[in-house]
Amino acid sequence: MCCLFGIYDYNNYFNKKQRNIILSVLSTECEARGTDATGIAYNANGKLNIFKRPLPAHKIKYQTPEFAKVIMGHTRMATQGSRKRNYNNHPFAGQAGNTLFAFAHNGILYNDELIRKDKKLPNTKIRTDSYIAVQLLEQERALTFQSLAKMAETVDGSFTFTVLDNGDNLYFVKGDNPLCIYHFVSAGFYIYASTKEILDNALKRLRLNKKAHKVVPSHCGDIIRIDTGGNIATSRFDTRALSSLQYYFRPYRCSFYDYPDCDYPDNEHLQTVREMAGTFGYSPEDVDCLLAEGYTLDEIEEVFYGIDMSQ
């Protein structure tokens, strides 16, 4: 359970100080989904810059330059790859052909080692599962809607990705993990976070919540690109193989409460498992769905840890 966050100030509405205050408040709110590490990426002086530290967001002092229009951020809850080795933290640097990019991920991927073997990708000191997506994009030698779709259809797990290239194009690849983007049209900026609650809390603290804004629609399977003029372009990827837990779920979302004859599990244990679900990139509703299918809480924990219950 990590958090994506950022701002695209395409109309230069904020000055440097204001923008850094926004980053500080927004990233601190994102600590609700991860305190192990914090990182940002932005373009300045013709160079793509990545700054990250194995620290919670409230301990980071942001010093982005005046002309950094777009800042892409991430707060991390480590599930694979020690946070103390900073190269395991997000965002990650990559190069697809002539395009440099920074990459961040909310979720968890399960087939990174299998992909690395099948695609003959080089081994790396980075142990974070997310990095396999960077390698897939590099192998495509291009950063386009097509290469992003191919990457999203190859990885197995749960995700929403953000990608910033060295031309200030910001991409969102929306899987089954949450994403909330607001567009302040009259002011000329976008601001986003992984959840609406986090974003609303930040805007309230920043006293931006009363300014008129539009919600940018984002659905599972969407690829969204914002360019330097604030224009949005969209594409899609095939979501049929999205989650490795799909084997255990019905093809529709269900709720435990749809099955009143079931024995409700121990509340304390249930709360623990529902909270733990986010660590593995899934939601509390996924826990309810498995309960409705007849799984026990112990079996659900086995699913999260990747134990094949069909054996």
Side-chain angles (χ1 to χ4, degrees), residues 6 14 41 43 45 61 70 72 82 104 109 121 132 171 183 188 193 207 212 220 232 266 271 299:
F14 300 107
N43 288 295
N45 298 320
K61 186 175 182 179
V70 52
M72 184 187 85
S82 171
L109 304 179
L121 298 171
I132 196 65
Y171 294 88
H183 185 194
R207 299 182 181 179
C220 186
I232 286 182
D266 172 71
Q271 183 63 24
E299 288 172 336

Side-chain angles (χ1 to χ4, degrees), residues 1 44 49 62 109 122-123 131 161 191 212 241 249 259 271 276 281:
M1 183 173 70
N49 298 268
Y62 297 99
L109 304 179
N123 289 322
Y131 191 67
F161 303 121
I191 190 167
F249 292 160
Y259 295 79
Q271 183 63 24
M276 183 178 69

Side-chain angles (χ1 to χ4, degrees), residues 71-142:
I71 299 98
M72 184 187 85
H74 183 276
T75 61
R76 185 183 183 210
M77 176 184 284
T79 56
Q80 184 178 328
S82 171
R83 69 175 183 87
K84 295 180 180 180
R85 300 184 182 277
N86 201 39
Y87 50 73
N88 287 321
N89 298 322
H90 306 234
F92 299 105
Q95 181 169 354
N98 294 323
T99 302
L100 303 176
F101 66 89
F103 180 95
H105 169 213
N106 169 30
I108 187 167
L109 304 179
Y110 297 102
N111 63 338
D112 50 314
E113 292 301 327
L114 180 61
I115 291 173
R116 190 167 285 113
K117 292 177 182 177
D118 288 348
K119 301 286 187 180
K120 295 181 172 57
L121 298 171
N123 289 322
T124 171
K125 66 181 180 180
I126 298 173
R127 305 312 305 160
T128 312
D129 53 294
S130 314
Y131 191 67
I132 196 65
V134 175
Q135 292 184 292
L136 286 171
L137 291 172
E138 290 182 327
Q139 189 177 63
E140 290 299 304
R141 300 183 181 277

Side-chain angles (χ1 to χ4, degrees), residues 26-308:
L26 181 56
S27 63
T28 300
E29 288 295 329
C30 291
E31 285 189 8
R33 293 177 62 89
T35 58
D36 288 326
T38 308
I40 59 172
Y42 59 91
N43 288 295
N45 298 320
K47 179 183 177 183
L48 180 62
N49 298 268
I50 293 177
F51 172 85
K52 53 186 176 181
R53 294 290 184 270
L55 296 170
H58 72 271
K59 293 187 176 182
I60 301 292
K61 186 175 182 179
Y62 297 99
Q63 296 288 348
T64 60
E66 184 74 41
F67 38 83
K69 281 188 172 185
V70 52
I71 299 98
M72 184 187 85
H74 183 276
T75 61
R76 185 183 183 210
M77 176 184 284
T79 56
Q80 184 178 328
S82 171
R83 69 175 183 87
K84 295 180 180 180
R85 300 184 182 277
N86 201 39
Y87 50 73
N88 287 321
N89 298 322
H90 306 234
F92 299 105
Q95 181 169 354
N98 294 323
T99 302
L100 303 176
F101 66 89
F103 180 95
H105 169 213
N106 169 30
I108 187 167
L109 304 179
Y110 297 102
N111 63 338
D112 50 314
E113 292 301 327
L114 180 61
I115 291 173
R116 190 167 285 113
K117 292 177 182 177
D118 288 348
K119 301 286 187 180
K120 295 181 172 57
L121 298 171
N123 289 322
T124 171
K125 66 181 180 180
I126 298 173
R127 305 312 305 160
T128 312
D129 53 294
S130 314
Y131 191 67
I132 196 65
V134 175
Q135 292 184 292
L136 286 171
L137 291 172
E138 290 182 327
Q139 189 177 63
E140 290 299 304
R141 300 183 181 277
L143 186 62
T144 62
F145 282 137
Q146 291 76 20
S147 64
L148 288 166
K150 186 174 180 180
M151 176 273 294
E153 291 164 4
T154 301
V155 297
D156 177 16
S158 184
F159 61 80
T160 291
F161 303 121
T162 54
V163 186
L164 174 64
D165 73 16
N166 58 341
D168 270 346
N169 293 296
L170 178 62
Y171 294 88
F172 301 88
V173 183
K174 175 69 171 68
D176 56 353
N177 274 7
L179 176 67
C180 183
I181 310 170
Y182 290 163
H183 185 194
F184 290 75
V185 181
S186 60
F189 70 91
Y190 295 86
I191 190 167
Y192 71 91
S194 283
T195 71
K196 182 179 186 299
E197 180 181 11
I198 286 173
L199 190 52
D200 286 346
N201 288 343
L203 294 182
K204 186 176 181 180
R205 287 178 58 191
L206 292 164
R207 299 182 181 179
L208 292 172
N209 56 319
K210 294 183 179 180
K211 290 184 178 292
H213 62 267
K214 295 181 178 179
V215 177
V216 177
S218 61
H219 305 286
C220 186
D222 284 347
I223 306 176
I224 301 168
R225 182 185 66 209
I226 304 174
D227 67 17
T228 56
N231 304 301
I232 286 182
T234 62
S235 186
R236 294 277 300 171
F237 67 91
D238 190 338
T239 64
R240 285 178 294 181
L242 182 63
S243 174
S244 63
L245 283 191
Q246 65 176 342
Y247 172 84
Y248 302 104
F249 292 160
R250 295 181 189 267
Y252 53 85
R253 286 290 181 190
C254 55
S255 169
F256 181 81
Y257 304 102
D258 293 334
Y259 295 79
D261 295 333
C262 297
D263 292 326
Y264 201 80
D266 172 71
N267 285 336
E268 184 174 351
H269 191 188
L270 173 62
Q271 183 63 24
T272 299
V273 175
R274 284 169 63 88
E275 292 175 354
M276 183 178 69
T279 302
F280 297 92
Y282 297 96
S283 70
E285 289 74 25
D286 291 336
V287 175
D288 293 340
C289 188
L290 286 171
L291 287 170
E293 291 286 287
Y295 291 97
T296 68
L297 290 173
D298 288 337
E299 288 172 336
I300 292 171
E301 289 183 71
E302 290 177 346
V303 171
F304 289 155
Y305 285 104
I307 299 173
D308 186 357

Side-chain angles (χ1 to χ4, degrees), residues 9-22:
D9 185 15
Y10 62 89
N11 206 32
N12 295 312
Y13 183 75
F14 300 107
N15 61 35
K16 171 184 174 180
K17 181 178 179 181
Q18 291 171 325
R19 197 177 296 124
N20 286 322
I21 290 172
I22 290 171

